[in-house]
Amino acid sequence: MTRRRSRKATWGCLTVMLLIAAVCCAAPITGAISAVVALQSAARDDGGIADGGTAADIPPRMLTAYKNAVQQVGKYVPKCQGMRWPILAGIAKVESNHAIGRTIADNGDISPHIYGVLLNGSGAGGNTTAFPDTDNGRWDGTASGERAVGPFQFLPSTWEGIGKDANGDKTADPHNADDAALGAAVYLCGNGRDLTKRSQLQAAILQYNHSTEYLSNVLGWIDQYTAAAKSPDLNNVSGKVRTVLEAALSQRGVPYSWGAGNASGKSYGICCSPSGKSGADTKGFDCSGLTVYAYAEAGISLPRTAAAQAGVGRRIPAGLGTSALKVGDLVFYADAPGRDSTIYHVGIYLGSGQMVNAARPGTVVRLDPVNAMSGYAGGARLL
């Protein structure tokens, strides 16, 4: 039986802002991920857990459930290979937006419960096929038909076959984050798929919902969560440099917010960027706010603007090229390289041609190539 119905589912840093702390912003990034990036939490502050990167739009308790399910699925499908939390996160993102807006208790129980439309063939919500009741309303709250339930939106009839007790309370409950995530992992694994193979991953997703639109949507989220989860190699980095990098990397996925971020971490921003984007409703970082925070974690106080930060530490001239940069250096970009007063952006050099970057409104803290920005203006070494 089909699990459920198909779902339709360049600007510079502001140097001065009349009596307001000056802030930083950047030009659009060539080849960057979409503005509605997988890790963006927009104006929400739902937290996130660092796993190499931060999945900032996933409530911490939900991300814990996904990771726990990965650890437990082998007990039920021993031959399954390649189950990863980004796979479960991609499904849950599309199905319920990670249960955001609900309360998730310590034991994983979600309230209020998440229900889909009643599948009675009325056409409401896109359903055209009536599904008779199978649980007498136990899970879906109605005995007049079936509707999908929980953060992974299972039909009660499907849950009966794959539901698992993941949190040890002796009940397999689709409204519990741990149970639902493990049930989804079991379902996606089938009889023992190798989910490292793209074709088998696609087959698993299509089994979940046989829609090419759904497949494309979920795969996009899986790919972006996977990218965020990859942790740069810091094995050869130590001391304060490592502290700075770990602090910056821990904020990956936190949304860009004009005028936001300070030595204590992310904050709400101000209005407005040159493109008219306000940070007042978004808790996150702008470019120089991120550097202020990361270096503060290592006990180093930085000025608030990118242009001012260029005057701290040992200046690395742009003429030496990017090969002169070392891990942990500040990286600057200017409208007129050679004139530090025109610096509009700053990042933190990670090595191998990459930097940790809070790029511009509509993006999130992420890794970008150093050459993705225009107007390279050298760097500064503080460590």
Side-chain angles (χ1 to χ4, degrees):
M1 176 186 293
T2 300
R3 185 191 63 83
R4 53 166 303 220
R5 71 194 185 287
S6 173
R7 294 186 57 164
K8 289 184 177 180
T10 80
W11 304 103
C13 278
L14 188 61
T15 307
V16 177
M17 276 193 120
L18 302 177
L19 303 180
I20 300 176
V23 294
C24 171
C25 188
I29 303 295
T30 303
I33 55 181
S34 68
V36 188
V37 74
L39 304 178
Q40 184 174 358
S41 59
R44 295 188 304 271
D45 180 21
D46 301 303
I49 294 178
D51 183 33
T54 296
D57 77 332
I58 304 177
R61 188 60 183 84
M62 291 301 294
L63 185 53
T64 296
Y66 306 155
K67 292 180 179 180
N68 287 342
V70 172
Q71 296 300 316
Q72 296 183 56
V73 70
K75 299 176 185 177
Y76 303 97
V77 192
K79 294 182 179 180
C80 184
Q81 300 180 53
M83 176 56 68
R84 303 172 286 116
W85 73 257
I87 295 175
L88 297 175
I91 295 286
K93 174 66 179 181
V94 174
E95 295 294 345
S96 70
N97 196 26
H98 306 300
I100 286 173
R102 264 63 175 186
T103 297
I104 309 169
D106 290 343
N107 71 348
D109 286 344
I110 297 170
S111 61
H113 290 171
I114 302 171
Y115 297 116
V117 299
L118 184 64
L119 301 178
N120 56 8
S122 67
N127 82 89
T128 55
T129 303
F131 287 79
D133 175 68
T134 62
D135 68 336
N136 197 33
R138 179 187 182 190
W139 299 124
D140 63 6
T142 177
S144 61
E146 293 276 85
R147 53 182 179 176
V149 299
F152 284 86
Q153 289 289 277
F154 282 107
L155 288 179
S157 56
T158 304
W159 183 253
E160 181 180 358
I162 58 92
K164 305 298 178 187
D165 172 23
N167 67 350
D169 65 359
K170 303 186 184 307
T171 299
D173 184 349
H175 296 290
N176 177 274
D178 296 313
D179 296 355
L182 180 55
V186 169
Y187 190 81
L188 291 164
C189 279
N191 294 323
R193 290 190 175 98
D194 183 352
L195 299 175
T196 64
K197 296 180 178 179
R198 193 74 167 183
S199 60
Q200 294 194 36
L201 175 60
Q202 292 174 343
I205 296 169
L206 286 172
Q207 174 185 307
Y208 207 92
N209 190 323
H210 198 73
S211 160
T212 54
E213 179 183 357
Y214 181 86
L215 172 65
S216 178
N217 197 5
V218 170
L219 284 175
W221 289 107
I222 291 173
D223 289 345
Q224 293 187 63
Y225 283 129
T226 298
K230 292 180 179 178
S231 180
D233 183 5
L234 300 182
N235 290 335
N236 296 321
V237 181
S238 61
K240 289 187 175 182
V241 173
R242 187 184 185 105
T243 299
V244 168
L245 294 180
E246 288 181 340
L249 289 167
S250 73
Q251 302 307 308
R252 280 191 294 173
V254 172
Y256 182 99
S257 178
W258 178 262
N262 53 50
S264 298
K266 60 186 178 181
S267 68
Y268 288 99
I270 60 177
C271 185
C272 283
S273 73
S275 60
K277 302 294 184 180
S278 174
D281 294 326
T282 303
K283 197 171 186 179
F285 293 97
D286 64 14
C287 66
S288 56
L290 177 65
T291 56
V292 165
Y293 166 70
Y295 274 84
E297 289 295 287
I300 298 172
S301 179
L302 289 180
R304 185 56 181 81
T305 67
Q309 289 175 8
V312 178
R314 174 191 165 193
R315 194 72 164 88
I316 303 168
L320 296 179
T322 57
S323 62
L325 295 171
K326 291 186 177 181
V327 175
D329 288 348
L330 293 174
V331 188
F332 301 108
Y333 301 85
D335 292 320
R339 293 174 55 194
D340 283 359
S341 62
T342 70
I343 287 176
Y344 68 88
H345 190 74
V346 61
I348 301 175
Y349 189 61
L350 187 61
S352 302
Q354 289 191 310
M355 64 179 170
V356 188
N357 192 28
R360 62 183 176 85
T363 66
V364 297
V365 177
R366 65 195 187 193
L367 303 186
D368 278 322
V370 170
N371 62 8
M373 309 295 296
S374 61
Y376 175 64
R381 186 162 301 148
L382 288 72
L383 301 167

